[in-house]
Amino acid sequence: AYHNFYHVFDVTQTAYAMATKTGALARLSPWLRFALLTAALCHDLEHPGVSSPFLANVKSQEIAGAFKDVLLEKHHALRAFEVMVWQDIGILKGLSSESYWAFRHAVAGCILATDF
């Protein structure tokens, strides 16, 4: 399957390398750097191995219903934050409400930008 650990590693390393080479990484705040790399890591979280158009045409409500608006990227972003705020993980629990929503907006924006 294409959407595996190697794909995640490749995308994350490529995002880091491109952001470093272009100087973008140096211009980002530490939290936006974290958001960029988090988005790269999570951009295909729980990918089912089929495309959004396939899911839109599938007859099974069980499969189609698992993905909000059958847009996979929304699902990936949603699940990323469900994991990050999970009590046993709590990566973001030290953030203020304002910082949390800014971080979430940045990560989700990057993940949603991968829909093409």
Side-chain angles (χ1 to χ4, degrees):
Y2 176 74
H3 296 97
N4 57 28
F5 170 80
Y6 299 106
H7 172 67
V8 170
F9 182 85
D10 178 44
V11 170
T12 304
Q13 191 277 332
T14 300
Y16 177 79
M18 289 178 68
T20 300
K21 186 71 172 169
T22 62
L25 202 64
R27 292 188 300 272
L28 296 174
S29 70
W31 275 104
L32 285 178
R33 290 179 199 157
F34 182 48
L36 174 67
L37 297 177
T38 299
L41 282 169
C42 298
H43 81 281
D44 275 336
L45 186 62
E46 292 186 342
H47 200 289
V50 297
S51 68
S52 288
F54 174 85
L55 288 174
N57 292 323
V58 75
K59 301 292 183 215
S60 170
Q61 290 298 73
E62 180 181 328
I63 294 172
F67 300 96
K68 308 280 188 255
D69 300 330
V70 258
L71 179 61
L72 291 172
E73 285 67 26
K74 284 184 178 181
H75 174 77
H76 305 318
L78 174 69
R79 288 296 292 142
F81 279 89
E82 286 177 346
V83 170
M84 286 188 276
V85 301
W86 187 34
Q87 185 176 12
D88 292 344
I89 306 234
I91 293 172
L92 307 175
K93 69 179 167 184
L95 291 179
S96 68
S97 180
E98 182 180 341
S99 295
Y100 168 82
W101 286 107
F103 178 74
R104 185 173 178 138
H105 179 75
V107 172
C110 289
I111 292 174
L112 294 175
T114 67
D115 180 36
F116 53 92

